[in-house]
Amino acid sequence: MRKRLLILPVIFFVFSLVLISCKYAEDKSRKSLEFIKSLKSYSCDCTIALENDRQILEYNCKQYYNRKLGGRIEIDENRILTYKNDKIYVRDLKSGIKYTLDKDFDTIFKISMIGECVHLMYTNEEIKTFVKDIDGIEYTIVELSIPGMNRNLSKGKLYINNRDNLPEKLEILDFKSREKVRVTYKNFNANAELNDKLFNED
């Protein structure tokens, strides 16, 4: 009987620790999401790896984003894509050719931008979030369905490091949950002061 009485406080103590731990993780996760959603601007380096049946294509990019002015992606010093006014302004750096595309023409580079992920967080009804420990680092993972008819770009999983609230990786999966695109973010400068000229169409 005495042993049972001793076990009860131990069980209660362990249960309390679990609840506190879960509450702490939930608070960190909420803080990370609120930080990402409140971004007004950013700059970062990123690597975009596209996988198809025959090969993996990799692009080294520089991204700039301003909530009011739009987004800009510099791809391998070959092209610059500027997303503005529901258009994509393309500049081919090698040929010097400039042209304009409809905003829906490109999905992969557009969805790689954190600003686009934030937009989906506000408009997506199927958003899921959970906390996961990976190699001793706690991440908030945001799962989003990607609108459109492309079965190879069905769902996105954004990994936010809860230590600094910054995004580290975006996985884009097909309708069978196979990874098709991986975006890795580095040197993420949140709420950076960016020159407005970066978002000029020319």
Side-chain angles (χ1 to χ4, degrees):
M1 184 69 177
R2 185 176 295 176
K3 287 183 178 180
R4 289 182 180 177
L5 291 174
L6 289 173
I7 289 172
L8 285 174
V10 172
I11 293 174
F12 178 76
F13 178 73
V14 171
F15 186 67
S16 298
L17 285 179
V18 171
L19 286 177
I20 291 170
S21 177
C22 289
K23 178 64 176 174
Y24 175 77
E26 184 180 318
D27 288 344
K28 291 283 287 180
S29 178
R30 185 181 297 112
K31 184 179 178 183
S32 292
L33 282 175
E34 288 175 355
F35 182 81
I36 291 295
K37 286 183 175 181
S38 68
L39 281 176
K40 295 180 180 178
S41 63
Y42 75 82
S43 65
C44 73
D45 300 315
C46 74
T47 302
I48 301 175
L50 314 179
E51 183 175 350
N52 58 36
D53 295 335
R54 292 178 292 180
Q55 61 184 337
I56 297 177
L57 302 174
E58 190 168 287
Y59 302 91
N60 294 306
C61 305
K62 181 81 175 178
Q63 291 189 1
Y64 302 92
Y65 170 79
N66 181 295
R67 187 188 294 175
K68 294 180 179 179
L69 300 178
R72 172 187 171 115
I73 302 179
E74 299 173 359
I75 306 170
D76 285 329
E77 299 182 354
N78 294 326
R79 280 179 295 159
I80 296 176
L81 308 180
T82 304
Y83 299 83
K84 189 175 181 180
N85 302 326
D86 293 332
K87 298 289 183 182
I88 307 171
Y89 300 91
V90 184
R91 180 154 42 121
D92 189 309
L93 298 178
K94 289 187 174 181
S95 67
I97 295 174
K98 301 176 185 178
Y99 52 97
T100 304
L101 299 171
D102 185 79
K103 67 173 183 177
D104 296 323
F105 185 84
D106 162 61
T107 303
I108 293 172
F109 289 106
K110 181 181 177 183
I111 196 66
S112 76
M113 301 198 72
I114 298 301
E116 184 64 20
C117 290
V118 170
H119 173 72
L120 290 178
M121 287 182 198
Y122 282 111
T123 59
N124 203 303
E125 295 181 359
E126 299 181 27
I127 183 173
K128 297 178 183 176
T129 61
F130 56 93
V131 176
K132 185 175 182 179
D133 188 284
I134 302 174
D135 297 328
I137 299 175
E138 185 183 82
Y139 291 90
T140 292
I141 301 177
V142 184
E143 286 192 1
L144 301 154
S145 62
I146 298 174
M149 302 299 292
N150 192 334
R151 288 156 60 91
N152 287 321
L153 307 174
S154 179
K155 181 172 65 176
K157 293 173 69 175
L158 178 65
Y159 292 72
I160 306 170
N161 190 325
N162 284 348
R163 181 179 54 200
D164 53 20
N165 304 323
L166 298 179
E168 286 191 7
K169 181 175 65 174
L170 173 66
E171 295 174 349
I172 299 178
L173 314 175
D174 67 8
F175 72 105
K176 291 184 178 180
S177 293
R178 296 174 299 193
E179 183 179 280
K180 291 297 181 180
V181 182
R182 177 184 290 252
V183 185
T184 306
Y185 303 97
K186 294 181 180 179
N187 304 319
F188 198 96
N189 186 6
N191 295 315
E193 291 188 14
L194 304 176
N195 192 323
D196 292 358
K197 291 181 180 179
L198 284 170
F199 306 97
N200 289 347
E201 293 86 342
D202 56 359

